[in-house]
Each structure stands twice: as structure tokens, then as C-alpha cells.
Amino acid sequence: MSRNPLNVAFALLFVTGCMADNVLKAEPPPDETPPVTMPPPTTNPPPAGDVVVPSNNARLKLKSGQLYAAALASGLELPRAEVCHELGLYDCVDDVHNIALGGIEPYRTGILEPLEETTVTTPIAADRVALAACTTRAERDFADLANAKLFGALVVKDGALEDVSAAPVEATIQRLYQRLVQRDATSDEVAALRDLYTEMAATPSADVAESWAAVSCYAVASTMEALFY
Amino acid sequence: MFNAKFDRRNLLRGMGYLAAGTALGGLGARRAHAQAGAGDARFLIVLTASGGASLIDSFLAIRASESANAATINTYEDSRVQSIADSPFRAIDTQGSDLGALPAPFTANQSNFVRKHKDDMMVVTCTGTSVNHAVAQKRAITGNEAWAGRTLQELVAMQYGDAFLLPNVVMATGTAYIEPGTDKSLPSYCTGEPVAQPALWPLSLHGTRGVKAPDRRFVEMARRVRDEQLDARSKFSRVFEKSPELARWRQQRAATQALETSDLITKLMLFEDSEQYPLSQHGLMESPSGRLVRDRFPKFAEDPLEAQAALAFLLLKNRVSASVTLGTSFNAVLAEGSSLGGGGLQEGDLINPPIGFDFSHQAHRGTQAMMWSRVLAAADGLIELLKAEELADGVSMWDRTMIYVATDFGRDKVRPSGSEDFGTSHHLNNGFLLVSPLVNGNKVLGGVDPDTGLTYGFDPITGAPEPGREMAEAEIYAGIAGALGIDTTGSGLPSVPAMSRNG
Amino acid sequence: MAWGATAYAKPIAPSILCTQYADAPVCIGGQPACTFCHTTPPARNAFGAQVEGELLPGTARPLSDADFMTGLPAALAAVEQKDADGDGFVNLDELLAGTYPADGASIPAADGCPQSSDANGGFDVCNYDPRYVYKKLHLDFCGTTVAYDRLKAFEVLEDKEGEIRDALARCLDSEYWKGRDGILYRLAHKKIRPAQSIKSGDDPGDIPLGDYDDDYYLFVYTQIDDHDARELLTAQYFVEVQDGPPTTYSTYERGPFQDIQARGAQVAQLVEVQRRAGMLTTRWNLVFNTMFTPIPRTTAAQAYRAYLGLDIARMEGLDDVPGEPADYDQKGVQAEACRRCHATLDPLTYPFTRYSGFNGGTPFSYVPNRMNNMSSGRNDPLRDTPEAGVIFGERVDDLVQWANVASNSDQFAQATVLDYWKLIIGEAPRPTEQGEFDRLWRRFRNEHEYSVERMLHELVTTEAYGVP
């Protein structure tokens, strides 16, 4: 079939034609920081007698990046647009890690369906989103503890918690769990996060309380329970 | 869609692999293996020509004088078909003022590539089994499920990629060339890691770098608490202990540290520090090879194919991947700042026509010429970069690499009588271009009947042409696997030594 | 070995399997999908390969249907005690337990129930668990997380079912569900297959040819507010949107000329009103699928796949039509390797041939003499291409009739419900859930009167959704 001149004419008829303070705390390049080496993870079993009946359906879905960012925004009382930006410019979920976090990009790249399974980069992408959001929350709360949204109960002196065994610390951990996984923390979980503070406090740091707030939040926000449903 | 389904066997394999010290110390051992020598290294580049790249519009072009049906078969005026000295290949160089209804002047060249790389080029004929894009694409990488549904990329990842962090990276989004195979028994590291956006993807290879966060040591402490206590003991993870999703997640999370320690976030960062990508402000930097790849693929910022090619090279050079898949898109791409309106498009403004090679439906010859030129330019850039990269002992990376130009199918062999400007539909009959020092170079295996435009096959052992024979997808798949030195024991694949350089 | 020799999946295989294992969950209320034995038919999975190994060994391939029917029962019996996927459970046990014999991750369940949901971390793994559903429902349909306090309040509610119902109703009106780029858009992507670079209208691409926004609006409209989902294929109206929140959709009916006047030639819908068949005749569908093709098999195959769940390339929905394929466009489809699919596909396609893509008459419109316009001369058999075709064995005069038959078929109801099942539950029904699924799509046709929202209210009450 030869080309229809009308077709050409018809086709031609259609012709038509944030976060500036990132600078302060962004991690330095690798030549300035030796790689952190940690021993391989081990698994601590639950206490004796704490028995659950496993699900035979065992059916879980990963929260998409859209759902995860929304959950962090509501749980941490951050505007959705301020949850996480890469290079201070690009929304972590919408612009950068969308596909890794189960999103789609139908219009420009033809990705019409989310990945059926997570990939190696999915946990890393989720970590970056959680870490950015939690650090922002901690930073804002510690800048004005009296009006803090999440960490206001903590009693801080010279950048450190006054007493890690005090009730406000447990209350803060409970809030983290309630906000991020919608349940109360168990005593084990409270103890684990208190121990985390103790371990951190052994490392010289000017603002260990704020750092603990940020990474405790990150630890809970990036548990499998917070990511899958 | 992209990952092979996870099962318990894979988990056990994965766990064994990690338990063997993969995370850090193991990585060193694996890297030593990866860089020990050139002997057992092979790399595969699947360069996809989505939409149907026709061999009779390139290396097997037919001269009108050779055909009894010259007017109605897709033959070219004799003078337009170039013979390349000392080679069986032909080439079509074209200039055009438009592409069908699109006022897009273009210049396309095949002969330069053929002259330069003919010794590593091999064209094999094949008759496929589907003219559905997605189905045909999948069959082009599985040989129509010739070996338990394993893709060629997975074969290479399994045999040569066990020492690599991301053995199989797939970038040709929107096509079935990046879909996983169906053999669930393969280790999960063989599964393709999808990359939709090469520029920013490296940011997903480190959990903390460039993120505003507390001291990294604190983050590591928190990760340990999360993994060893919070997750390990929560009722949620115990109730759902049988979930393959959680098992996979644990395995993938365990691999995080190896990715981070390897500093891939730097090594694979294509872009330089700029206002658009303020890397240094966030403690990041461009790849040491950034300038090299940007110079080789200067349109990387506007042309997704060039960006993919640049990242593909970095993945291979840094021994991150053994197989990379990249390709032309179905989306139209115009040069930055150009538009169809106003004064129209200038030469070179149309980088990729809408629906890629499939735009042959409207403008067969122009589309084939422009798209072949585009594919060959990407291949040439990769070859040049890989030739300059030493693998070991004076052997270049290119010496151990294969570029497989995978395409869906061929196009109609007929045309309206005498027409130079016509549209074509899909056709099962065609073949493939392979470029590699590993293949039987400077050869056309099979041939083309000038009276029908149909390709015919060859003897899989000797390579002798066999008019009347059609090569099956499985045979081409087996030949590619053979040339790559894949251990096919137990596969039941046919032997096709004719496709390997050393038979 | 004859590589490339013709090999076919046998559509009769599921019924033979279910005759032999009538109590297998996969056979209750339906039949197993091709993937029970195949990866992509005709290629076999591990179970299929074992069966193939026992199927009339020594008999030449391909087997005739008669040989296949004779040999399959014995082959199935021969592999009962084998373990195709190596997961420790033999094939027979997996068949009877409703798990997949070719999937090592799919294994028969162990027994045991918790004393209470609370004692089990809030997961009643043996029963429909309202709290679990309430949390999940908000994520799936609203895109929100239920706050801790609200969850506590829910736990003490008397009428949990009522609250679940109300919550779902609220969610189905949310922007997350029905707004621009919401979840319903996500369902539509595979049907519409957008390509921004050739989009016209708002946010145009570099080469603007057609606007898929109309397709998304029509899709969403048919899925909400108790509208009849069949209108997806039969609507002769179009839909406009008022962006929200709340985003609202309303219908309008304009002929081509009126639409050009109202919206301009770049986006106007050019098929005359009485020739419209919902998504099948939108301008975008003709731009993207029909393009330049005289007999637009791609358009028909995409419709069959997208709206009826049948992928001809995977040998699904084959229904030999006598005398076909006639091969009016001389594509060689009568060849043995092509004939089997094209005997269904070609007559399925004929009703699409009068709708132009870029050529054959006024673009993107109904052109009665399109075949003449596209032929190369008087002797070109393309001119003989009929408009009448066949779908599901039923003769139809044109595409409007085609759409009516399609939208009233079991296949349409199944495909519609399956889309939502996979979206909300996360995967296709497992063998043990086949009965629930079957009941749901039948009720969608009858009790729900093709209302997607009513169907979804029932979907969230299924065990598949509600048992953790």
C-alpha cells in the first residue's frame, strides 16, 4: 500500500506544536569515611513460651512507595512532599525509586504493572526513604522540643537523654510503634531500643539523643511489619 | 514481573551463599574470583531492536537485478546496496527528508559499522513463531522456551555472574526482553534487576550515602537491632514466616552491605556534579569513568538508549554485571529543544520515531534505516569502550563479550509494485545480528532467496547454507549459548557449533 | 530432535484432569488454568514435563486429540507419587490439597489455630479477621493507614461488618481510588497502553496523534457508582472529568463534527455515535493498535486479552471457525503453524476492519468501504474481507454486535473480576480459592448487575481477602 497523501496532511494537522540543610549532614564521600563493617546478622529467638500459629496463606504485599510515603507522612506528621528528596531536588518515591518500590511508569517508559517481586534495590530504597523522613522528624522536633510532634516527651540534657530507663523514653518508643505499625511495642521491643541508645551513647557524639530518635524511628519504620501488609 | 519466583530452594541456596561469608569477606573472595583471569569470563549485551529489525533492509539487502520479482519484493535499486569488501555483508546508507508523515530529515549509515566490525559480525537466519511483539520478544531470549524457559541473560548470569553483585541488569523497559524466564530452580541472583532510569538508579545502591542522616555507625547499629531483634522476634514476622515475600526480603536485605561497601553509588554515577545533579552537595561524586562514557555517548541526557549504553558499560567494566540488556524504545524521542511545530524538525532532531522499528508500519525503509543506524551506533560505542578495557593478561573485555541484537521478528517481504515508500506488517521470517569475537565472524549463516525475500537456514554443524531449511528459535538460542561457552549439559539443546568462532 | 516442530497445549487437558480428580480444589467450580501444566503454552512446567514423559511414550508427536485423551489419564496416574517441584510433597497430595505441584513455594498447609487473634499478634489465621481486613482495606482502597486510636475504637465496635462496609464505601469515593492516576487508572493501563510521546490534548507529546485521557475517563466511569461495567465495551457516549477532590465524571454524547467544534481536531472522537463500541472504537485505540493495518489483528487480539482475559498468543480462547482463516490480506496465515490461532483471530478481527487508523479513509472513524480503499486493485482479495465476524462461536454483523456479545459473556465477567481479585488480593485465585472466585464472578453478572462496587463489597468478605 502506498502512503495516502491525506494521511500525511491529517498527521500534520495535529502538529502543535528543599531541603537546603541537607548539606550540613549529608554523609561524606567514601574516601573520608571508612566503610562500616558489621558482622553478619544473627537472629535472636523470641522468649520461650511466646508461641504464634503461623499463617498458612502467608500472603503479603509490599506497600507501594506511594503507600509507604503516605504512611510515613501521617505517622511522622510530615507533609507528604517533605518526606524524602534525593539530591534535595527529586522526590524519592515519585521521581527516583518509584519502580524499585513497586510503582509504575506507564506513560513514558511503558512500565504498566508493578514488579511482581521485590528486587535487591527495594530494601535500600525503602531504607533511604525511612531514614530521610525520620531524620527530618527528629531534627524538627529537637529544634523545638516543646512543640515536638513525636519526640517531645524526651528529657534531654547536653544532647543526651537524661535517663534512658525513664518513663518518657518508653512512652516515646510506644508512640513510635503506635504511629508506624499501629500497635503497642512489646517489652522486648522497648528494651531493644533502650539498649540501642546505650550502645550509641558509648560512641562520642554531640547529639546522641537526636541521633537515637532518628535511628530508632528508622529501625521501626523499616521493619517488615511497617513495609508489608 | 521481573524476578524469578522465589522458592525455598533459592532461599537455601541464597542463605548458603551468604553464610559462606558473602556479605563482606565473601565479597572479597568473590571479587578475586571475578578478576582472577580472563579465561572463564564472558559478558552478554542484549541490544534490543524492538519492533522488528529487518535483515533484508541491512546486511542481507537484495539488489533488484538479483530478483525475478524485483518490483514487488522488497528489493533495492542495485546502486543503493553496498557490498563491503572482504565480507559477505551488505549495507544500506540512506538520507531522507521525512519519515512517513513525519517531516524529519535524517541520515542513516550502516556501511561504516560493517567495515569496522565485519570480522566480529555474524548474521544468522531464523524463522520465529509469533508476530505478537511481547511473545516474540520473550521467545527471542528463551529460544521459545528451549531450556526450561531460561533466558539467555539468566544463563550468563548463572555461569559467569555468581561473583558479581548484580549479574543481570535489564534496562529495556516496556518490552518483554527484560522479563524473567520461567525456570524457578535458578538461583535468584540470575534474575534481572530492572533499571528504569539510568541516571538516578545508582542512588538505590546505598542505603545512607547522600541521605541526610545521623552518623553512619548509628544507622548500622539501628539496622542490627531491626534485623536481629525487632524483625526477628515480632509476631508479625513469625505469623508470616512462610511468606516468600519476607524470605526474599531478608535475603535481599542481607545483600545490602555488599552493595554499599562496593561503592556502586559512585562507580555507576553517570552524571557530573551540576545544578541539576548536585552530587557534591550531598556527599556524592560522579563515576571515575563518567567522562569517558559521556564522551562516547554524548546524547546520554536526552537519548535513553545512550544513557542505557553508558550505564551498561559501567556495569560491565566494574564487574557488577555479566549480562546487560538495553534497547530502543517504543516512545518517540526528539532532540532537546526541537518540536514538530514551527519550523519543523531539523536533521537529527528525531532521535527515535514513535513505536521504534515498528514505525515500519507506515514508513518501512526510512524507519529501518534510521533505527538500524541507531542500534549500530550504540553497539559501536560499547565495542570501542570494551576494547579499551583490559580484562586480564592483555585480553580486552571485548574479547569476551557478545552483543546479541535481539529483535521481535521480520517485516513483510513484499511491497506495492516499484514503491520506495511503503508500510510493512510483521513477518515471522528474519534472523539476528551477533557481534563478538566469540562468534563465527564475518559470516552469514544461511541466506536469502532474492525472489521471495525470505531467509533460509544453514547446517548447524558446518554452517553450510541449506535452502529450504528454516532455523528455529531454539537453534539460535543454542548457538548463542554455545558461543558463550555455557555448560548446556542436560539441557537437551541441539548442538550448533557453526555459530561459534572455534566451532 | 525436531526443533521448531509444531507443539500445542491441549485445551481438553483441564477437563480430563478434573474428571480424574473431581475433588481437587482446582476443579471445584472451575478448571485449572493452562499454567497448571505449562509455563507459556505449549512449553511445560515441571509437572507438565513429568506428565509429558509418561504420555504415550514412543508415539509420534504432536499427538492427536484422540490419542491425547486416551493417554492422559494414565500419564497423570503415573506421576501421582512423584514430586515435580521437589518440595517434599508428591503431586497427588498437592492436587488434593489445592497447591501447585510445579511450584516449590506452594505446599499443603499444616494444621493449628490460635486461641485468639490477640494471642497471635492480632492475626486470626483460621478465620475471617475483621481487624486485619479493616487495616488492609484502608491501604488497598483509600491509600491510607488506619491510625492506632481508630483501630482501637474499631476493635470494640459491635458492628464491625457495618463499619467495614462504610469504610469501603468511603474509600471507593476517594481520590486514591478514582481520582486522576488513582488505582482505577492503574487497572486501565494494560488495556489502554498509553504512550506519552504521541499523546494529544493536555500534556501533549512530541508527536501528538491521539489523547488517551478519554479512554481513562470512560474506564473509570464504568467502574464506579454502580454503573454497568459492560458499558466499557458498549458505551456510545464519552466522559468528561471535573478534577477534585472530589473528582467527578459525567457523560456526554457528541458526534464527530460536534466534538471537533467543542474540543478541536487533535482530540475529537471521530467515530459516529451509533458505530461506537466503548473502548474498542476510541481514537486512541485506533491510533495505537490499528495504526496502518487493513485487517487490524493487533486491535482485536488486544481487546480479547484486555477485556475478556484471553491471550491468543498463549493459545487461550481458541475457537475454530470453519473456513477460516481465509487470508484476505495474503499474510500466509493458512500455514500450519499459524492456522490454529488465526482460525479464531481472523474472524474475531473482521468487525474491526471498518474502523480506520491512519489510512483507508477519514482517520479514526468508521469507514464502510475501508477495505476497498486499502486494496491494491480490483483483484486484491482484501476487498472481500467481510465486516461480519465471529466471537465465541457466535456470528456478529459488526463491531457493535461484537461488543454486545463480548460484554455479556462469562469471559467478560471473569476477566473483570479477576482484574480486581489480582489487584486487591495480590495474585490470581489459588486452587483452594477457585470456588470463591467462581461464585464472585457469577454474582457479578447476576446479583451485582455488573456493578464493580457491589462486587468489591463482596470481595472484601471473602476468605481469600479476610483470612490472614
Side-chain angles (χ1 to χ4, degrees):
Chain A
M1 275 136 272
S2 61
R3 196 175 67 198
N4 180 350
L6 282 176
N7 170 28
V8 179
F10 199 83
L12 293 176
L13 185 69
F14 300 148
V15 171
T16 58
C18 113
M19 298 192 60
D21 57 351
N22 269 5
V23 181
L24 301 175
K25 296 178 99 176
E27 209 178 314
D31 55 342
E32 296 170 35
T33 308
V36 177
T37 58
M38 305 295 283
T42 56
T43 300
N44 291 327
D50 181 11
V51 176
V52 298
V53 177
S55 162
N56 284 321
N57 284 339
R59 180 184 262 150
L60 287 174
K61 293 194 290 187
L62 178 75
K63 285 179 189 167
S64 66
Q66 188 184 4
L67 285 179
Y68 188 48
L72 289 173
S74 64
L76 302 180
E77 291 190 53
L78 290 171
R80 166 61 188 87
E82 295 174 21
V83 167
C84 175
H85 285 83
E86 292 289 8
L87 304 178
L89 297 172
Y90 308 104
D91 188 276
C92 294
V93 170
D94 296 344
D95 301 330
V96 184
H97 305 299
N98 181 24
I99 304 305
L101 291 173
I104 53 175
E105 210 309 299
Y107 307 112
R108 287 176 172 79
T109 58
I111 300 175
L112 304 178
E113 291 184 294
L115 299 176
E116 226 169 64
E117 298 173 350
T118 53
T119 76
V120 171
T121 56
T122 311
I124 297 178
D127 268 13
R128 291 179 78 88
V129 176
L131 195 53
C134 286
T135 303
T136 299
R137 179 72 276 150
E139 188 179 76
R140 291 183 187 180
D141 277 8
F142 275 74
D144 182 7
L145 271 177
N147 292 301
K149 306 282 188 191
L150 189 57
F151 299 109
L154 295 174
V155 182
V156 179
K157 189 174 178 187
D158 298 331
L161 294 180
E162 196 173 64
D163 178 4
V164 71
S165 62
V169 174
E170 173 163 0
T172 299
I173 294 169
Q174 289 295 353
R175 289 192 86 183
L176 277 175
Y177 267 84
Q178 290 164 6
R179 294 286 191 89
L180 297 169
V181 289
Q182 295 77 51
R183 66 168 172 83
D184 295 322
T186 65
S187 55
D188 277 356
E189 287 160 343
V190 173
L193 291 177
R194 278 185 161 139
D195 291 348
L196 170 64
Y197 179 83
T198 306
E199 187 184 1
M200 289 171 64
T203 302
S205 170
D207 52 3
V208 66
E210 182 180 336
S211 295
W212 174 82
V215 300
S216 295
C217 167
Y218 156 73
V220 178
S222 59
T223 54
M224 295 188 288
E225 188 173 0
L227 282 155
F228 290 88
Y229 72 106
Chain B
M1 186 155 63
F2 296 96
N3 276 357
K5 189 150 178 115
F6 182 84
D7 62 28
R8 291 178 305 160
R9 284 164 295 181
N10 286 350
L11 172 64
L12 293 173
R13 265 179 225 192
M15 290 305 187
Y17 173 71
L18 294 166
T22 300
L24 272 180
L27 177 70
R30 293 164 61 216
R31 299 221 123 196
H33 166 68
Q35 298 180 345
D40 61 351
R42 298 287 187 282
F43 304 96
L44 173 65
I45 298 170
V46 178
L47 177 53
T48 69
S50 307
S54 163
L55 288 179
I56 61 169
D57 293 280
S58 52
F59 320 110
L60 303 185
I62 305 167
R63 292 190 177 93
S65 64
E66 297 167 331
S67 174
N69 305 309
T72 53
I73 294 298
N74 179 17
T75 63
Y76 284 80
E77 199 179 304
D78 287 10
S79 61
R80 293 192 58 198
V81 180
Q82 296 191 49
S83 286
I84 306 298
D86 304 321
S87 123
F89 303 117
R90 297 177 172 190
I92 304 285
D93 296 341
T94 305
Q95 280 191 314
S97 57
D98 58 49
L99 199 63
L102 299 175
F106 67 93
T107 300
N109 183 293
Q110 298 169 0
S111 63
N112 289 344
F113 183 90
V114 180
R115 280 193 197 91
K116 192 170 172 185
H117 300 294
K118 63 181 186 319
D119 290 338
D120 291 337
M121 286 174 61
M122 178 177 73
V123 167
V124 291
T125 59
C126 180
T127 299
T129 52
S130 177
V131 286
N132 173 294
H133 287 289
V135 173
Q137 288 167 0
K138 187 75 184 285
R139 291 179 182 172
I141 54 166
T142 64
N144 194 7
E145 313 253 339
W147 185 0
R150 298 175 182 183
T151 68
L152 287 164
Q153 298 99 313
E154 289 168 349
L155 295 188
V156 170
M158 183 165 70
Q159 180 144 339
Y160 300 112
D162 65 328
F164 296 153
L165 289 167
L166 299 168
N168 177 9
V169 168
V170 293
M171 295 181 270
T173 53
T175 74
Y177 291 114
I178 66 171
E179 282 187 7
T182 50
D183 186 350
K184 295 173 185 174
S185 70
L186 289 181
S188 55
Y189 67 78
C190 298
T191 303
E193 178 73 24
V195 176
Q197 199 189 111
L200 294 172
W201 175 71
L203 293 169
S204 62
L205 299 173
H206 199 293
T208 60
R209 290 269 311 283
V211 181
K212 183 181 67 172
D215 188 311
R216 171 103 190 264
R217 289 167 298 179
F218 295 154
V219 177
E220 287 300 335
M221 291 174 192
R223 281 179 170 178
R224 284 181 67 84
V225 169
R226 177 193 66 193
D227 297 345
E228 296 174 18
Q229 299 186 59
L230 306 184
D231 266 344
R233 302 171 74 161
S234 81
K235 287 192 171 171
F236 174 87
S237 54
R238 287 184 286 140
V239 166
F240 291 102
E241 68 181 11
K242 296 178 188 171
S243 156
E245 285 77 18
L246 295 192
R248 188 183 311 111
W249 188 261
R250 288 190 189 95
Q251 189 187 16
Q252 289 166 338
R253 204 178 240 173
T256 297
Q257 201 172 37
L259 287 171
E260 292 179 344
T261 308
S262 298
D263 194 26
L264 300 184
I265 194 171
T266 302
K267 289 174 181 167
L268 303 179
M269 187 65 77
L270 297 179
F271 284 82
E272 60 189 327
D273 198 19
S274 66
E275 204 173 309
Q276 192 182 3
Y277 298 106
L279 303 176
S280 61
Q281 279 185 39
H282 295 84
L284 301 171
M285 61 181 89
E286 70 166 277
S287 167
S289 304
R291 176 150 301 284
L292 179 71
V293 293
R294 292 197 299 270
D295 286 350
R296 179 58 63 180
F297 298 109
K299 291 182 186 163
F300 68 97
E302 56 187 354
D303 181 357
L305 179 61
E306 292 211 357
Q308 290 175 19
L311 181 60
F313 171 71
L314 294 179
L315 287 162
L316 299 176
K317 170 192 161 63
N318 289 293
R319 314 291 195 272
V320 177
S321 306
S323 173
V324 290
T325 302
L326 65 154
T328 57
S329 150
F330 266 22
N331 255 322
V333 180
L334 294 190
E336 227 164 84
S338 63
S339 90
L340 271 174
L345 297 175
Q346 304 300 309
E347 164 86 32
D349 279 354
L350 180 64
I351 293 174
N352 198 74
I355 62 177
F357 271 101
D358 207 31
F359 200 67
S360 301
H361 276 294
Q362 190 190 23
H364 176 85
R365 288 192 167 170
T367 302
Q368 290 290 325
M370 177 187 278
M371 291 302 292
W372 265 118
S373 203
R374 189 162 155 63
V375 165
L376 297 179
D380 178 58
L382 284 164
I383 294 168
E384 288 300 308
L385 286 169
L386 291 166
K387 277 185 173 173
E389 207 61 46
E390 185 178 17
L391 183 62
D393 309 323
V395 173
S396 78
M397 287 194 71
W398 175 242
D399 291 329
R400 295 288 184 269
T401 301
M402 177 191 289
I403 296 178
Y404 168 38
V405 181
T407 192
D408 316 3
F409 33 62
R411 311 291 308 191
D412 274 345
K413 314 303 174 189
V414 295
R415 59 173 171 158
S417 187
S419 177
E420 291 288 312
D421 189 5
F422 52 94
T424 55
S425 300
H426 311 167
H427 200 293
L428 295 175
N429 178 269
N430 195 41
F432 300 99
L433 167 67
L434 294 143
V435 194
S436 170
L438 303 169
V439 301
N440 192 359
N442 208 16
K443 295 277 194 321
V444 171
L445 299 186
V448 61
D449 178 346
D451 294 341
T452 62
L454 295 167
T455 62
Y456 55 79
F458 57 92
D459 183 307
I461 310 299
T462 66
E466 285 194 13
R469 176 180 184 135
E470 289 184 333
M471 305 310 293
E473 291 147 323
E475 290 172 308
I476 303 306
Y477 173 94
I480 292 172
L484 285 164
I486 301 291
D487 178 1
T488 57
T489 307
S491 67
L493 288 176
S495 174
V496 192
M499 287 175 62
S500 297
R501 173 140 298 190
N502 301 316
Chain C
M1 187 173 287
W3 288 98
T6 310
Y8 298 121
K10 296 285 186 183
I12 49 177
S15 65
I16 297 173
L17 185 140
C18 284
T19 303
Q20 192 144 330
Y21 305 105
D23 293 336
V26 74
C27 295
I28 296 172
Q31 288 187 347
C34 301
T35 49
F36 204 79
C37 294
H38 296 271
T39 50
T40 303
R44 296 172 189 84
N45 63 27
F47 177 63
Q50 276 191 344
V51 175
E52 161 68 7
E54 300 290 341
L55 184 60
L56 301 179
T59 306
R61 265 51 176 174
L63 295 175
S64 67
D65 282 359
D67 283 348
F68 185 78
M69 288 174 71
T70 307
L72 185 58
L76 287 167
V79 302
E80 283 181 353
Q81 296 308 315
K82 294 184 178 178
D83 178 8
D85 53 15
D87 61 5
F89 295 90
V90 298
N91 299 333
L92 180 63
D93 288 349
E94 296 225 42
L95 263 166
L96 297 178
T99 57
Y100 291 104
D103 182 353
S106 170
I107 55 173
D111 294 327
C113 289
Q115 287 179 335
S116 68
S117 173
D118 278 349
N120 210 45
F123 299 101
D124 184 349
V125 295
C126 292
N127 298 291
Y128 185 85
D129 183 339
R131 181 183 181 279
Y132 166 76
V133 168
Y134 193 62
K135 267 186 89 169
K136 199 161 74 147
L137 176 151
H138 279 84
L139 287 163
D140 286 330
F141 295 93
C142 272
T144 57
T145 304
V146 184
Y148 171 84
D149 293 341
R150 206 161 141 209
L151 205 52
K152 285 283 174 200
F154 176 81
E155 286 170 7
V156 297
L157 272 182
E158 283 288 315
D159 183 13
K160 292 188 176 62
E161 277 180 27
E163 173 55 17
I164 286 173
R165 207 165 40 243
D166 292 348
L168 179 58
R170 288 192 296 271
C171 287
L172 292 174
D173 282 333
S174 69
E175 292 301 293
Y176 180 76
W177 184 256
K178 68 174 195 179
R180 212 178 268 273
D181 269 331
I183 292 297
L184 290 177
Y185 268 57
R186 177 180 290 193
L187 264 191
H189 291 320
K190 274 193 85 170
K191 305 176 195 311
I192 296 170
R193 301 197 294 178
Q196 197 276 335
S197 66
I198 55 171
K199 183 182 186 299
S200 58
D202 293 339
D203 188 22
D206 287 332
I207 302 168
L209 298 174
D211 189 358
Y212 44 71
D213 284 346
D214 281 352
D215 299 62
Y216 283 100
Y217 302 158
L218 177 58
F219 180 84
V220 173
Y221 178 83
T222 60
Q223 312 295 297
I224 61 174
D225 298 341
D226 278 348
H227 296 149
D228 186 331
R230 289 174 296 181
E231 291 177 10
L232 192 60
L233 300 185
T234 61
Q236 296 190 319
Y237 54 79
F238 278 93
V239 173
E240 57 195 359
V241 66
Q242 188 73 44
D243 283 321
T247 298
T248 56
Y249 298 83
S250 53
T251 62
Y252 65 90
E253 199 174 285
R254 280 196 290 262
F257 184 66
Q258 292 168 300
D259 206 27
I260 291 173
Q261 284 188 316
R263 302 195 298 160
Q266 290 188 15
V267 297
Q269 296 289 345
L270 302 179
V271 172
E272 57 196 274
V273 173
Q274 69 274 21
R275 290 291 178 180
R276 288 178 184 163
M279 302 288 275
L280 307 180
T281 56
T282 64
R283 177 184 181 136
W284 176 254
N285 198 40
L286 300 172
V287 165
F288 192 76
N289 289 312
T290 297
M291 294 194 292
F292 311 97
T293 318
I295 299 182
R297 298 181 179 90
T298 299
T299 314
Q302 166 66 3
Y304 211 42
R305 181 168 48 239
Y307 303 109
L308 302 170
L310 299 167
D311 191 340
I312 288 179
R314 293 185 163 81
M315 317 275 297
E316 294 167 356
L318 297 187
D319 187 17
D320 279 2
V321 176
E324 293 290 349
D327 201 12
Y328 295 106
D329 53 354
Q330 298 175 286
K331 293 290 183 188
V333 293
Q334 291 173 336
E336 183 53 31
C338 310
R339 192 198 60 76
R340 191 176 173 91
C341 291
H342 283 270
T344 300
L345 178 57
D346 286 22
L348 195 70
T349 305
Y350 299 148
F352 289 85
T353 57
R354 269 52 176 185
Y355 293 81
S356 60
F358 292 94
N359 47 4
T362 304
F364 324 130
S365 66
Y366 179 77
V367 181
N369 58 347
R370 181 168 178 263
M371 291 294 96
N372 283 350
N373 296 347
M374 296 193 80
S375 69
S376 59
R378 246 180 229 167
N379 297 324
D380 186 346
L382 189 64
R383 297 163 67 98
D384 301 329
T385 311
E387 183 173 10
V390 179
I391 176 171
F392 301 139
E394 191 169 333
R395 186 184 186 281
V396 290
D397 290 337
D398 55 29
L399 192 56
V400 173
Q401 276 190 20
W402 189 107
N404 269 313
V405 172
S407 62
N408 285 300
S409 66
D410 285 354
Q411 289 87 344
F412 176 77
Q414 287 169 357
T416 304
V417 174
L418 183 61
D419 270 354
Y420 285 95
W421 185 288
K422 291 202 285 199
L423 174 78
I424 300 303
I425 293 180
E427 60 182 353
R430 296 176 181 179
T432 48
E433 295 159 352
Q434 199 60 44
E436 260 187 332
F437 173 73
D438 196 49
R439 175 183 154 84
L440 190 61
W441 73 256
R442 288 184 193 285
R443 285 175 58 79
F444 173 62
R445 283 193 70 159
N446 300 309
E447 286 80 354
H448 304 148
E449 297 174 307
Y450 291 97
S451 159
V452 166
E453 294 198 350
R454 280 191 239 169
M455 182 271 293
L456 290 172
H457 273 281
E458 185 164 324
L459 174 62
V460 300
T461 67
T462 60
E463 289 194 356
Y465 189 71
V467 179

